[in-house]
Amino acid sequence: MALSLSHEANTNNGSESESYIYTTLDDSINTTSTTTTSRNLQQVLHTIEYAAYTAGKVALSTSGQIAIKSTKANIRDLVTESDVKCQQLIREIIEEEFPHDAFLGEEDVDLSGDCSAASSAALDAVLSGGGSLSLDDDGDVASSSNNDEEEDRLLFIVDPIDGTTNFQAGLPIYAMSIGVVALPSSSSSSLPEVVAGVIYNPTLGEMTSAVRGRGCYLNNRRLQQPQQSQHELPPRTSILNQSLINVGFPISKESTLQASSKAVAALATKVRGLRMVACASQAMAWVAQSKFNAYFSWDLNGWDVAAGIVIVEESGGLVSKMVVVDDDGMTSSRAGVETRDMIITCPCERRGEEGLLRDELIEVLKENDCLDY
């Protein structure tokens, strides 16, 4: 039975009681798969779901009604007071429950200059230092150190409102995104791994959640991977023309916008349809739900994708680097939270089609000079 927490919520009609239902992990899933943490991930999931839900109430009450507070790298990259308030709420809820773990939020990072370099530096600082992000007196990235040498720590990576431009305009395509990374100890040879994530769209009421090795869920209902038919159909050699693809619109640089525009032109007559929702975490959630067959983008930040990585992979989809090895063949290896260029594909419908759509997309992008920017 799902756990619930009753609380008061302010609505347009006054104050009324409502109940939020947490995701309960499916006990029927084989949990022998190992992760790099022994922490109670059910408790972690409950905490980040509630943090996202609480921030979502703030966003719902201000979407389309709030002014632009500032811009970051350029006039297209917006910040509102709700971004700041939502991150503060999320951080307070997480740090009350997990005071000794690390935190990285988008609004902690000065992105007014080279935003790609700044976000990568911030992520590197917390992944290597194991502490929360802060800014020094000069506005440069610094990471608080972990002096107690505590093992088995977590890093919470947060985008308080992903899709701020949509949010500020009153469009219902924005989300709270919280990813949880298990940080390896100094004596471990393992790499940081995303072990839990939540993407919450408060307008649609969609809470997409996942825990590594325990499945992917939409509003406390486990998303099942596509079932093979009784008489299996053979794998296809191409599925691109049957696919609905979301294309990223990376606003930080002119070069990434040009790569995106070239990709749209190249794919427009080769696919079932193209979309551009301008919210990376929401696009990844919809790939996990098989609403999109694929999503790809350039110059993504860790807070854009941390939650989506575990959500897509636990749904049965692939999160891959956008890379080509040589002219004779290509390969796309598994992406991580530090990867900036990604192709994300939904669970394949037929056995033997794993990676097929990804490889078809990379081929088109390569042929049309969309991989470099």
Side-chain angles (χ1 to χ4, degrees), residues 5 22 38 42 59 75 81 113 121 131 136 151 217 223 230 234 243 250 254 276 283 309 313 347 369:
L5 176 66
Y22 290 115
S38 60
Q42 177 76 85
I75 197 171
E81 289 288 354
D136 62 22
E151 300 291 323
Y217 304 80
L223 296 177
Q230 186 175 359
S243 299
E254 295 294 330
M276 193 175 281
I309 287 173
E313 290 184 337
D369 298 321

Side-chain angles (χ1 to χ4, degrees), residues 255-304:
S255 58
T256 54
L257 291 175
Q258 290 168 2
S260 176
S261 298
K262 288 193 292 185
V264 168
L267 285 166
T269 60
K270 294 180 173 66
V271 299
R272 176 165 290 163
L274 292 176
R275 300 295 182 268
M276 193 175 281
V277 301
C279 178
S281 61
Q282 183 64 82
M284 293 181 82
W286 283 341
V287 170
Q289 297 170 32
S290 293
K291 293 176 180 175
F292 288 143
N293 297 100
Y295 161 57
F296 63 88
S297 190
W298 307 256
D299 204 32
L300 292 159
N301 301 302
W303 46 76
D304 296 324

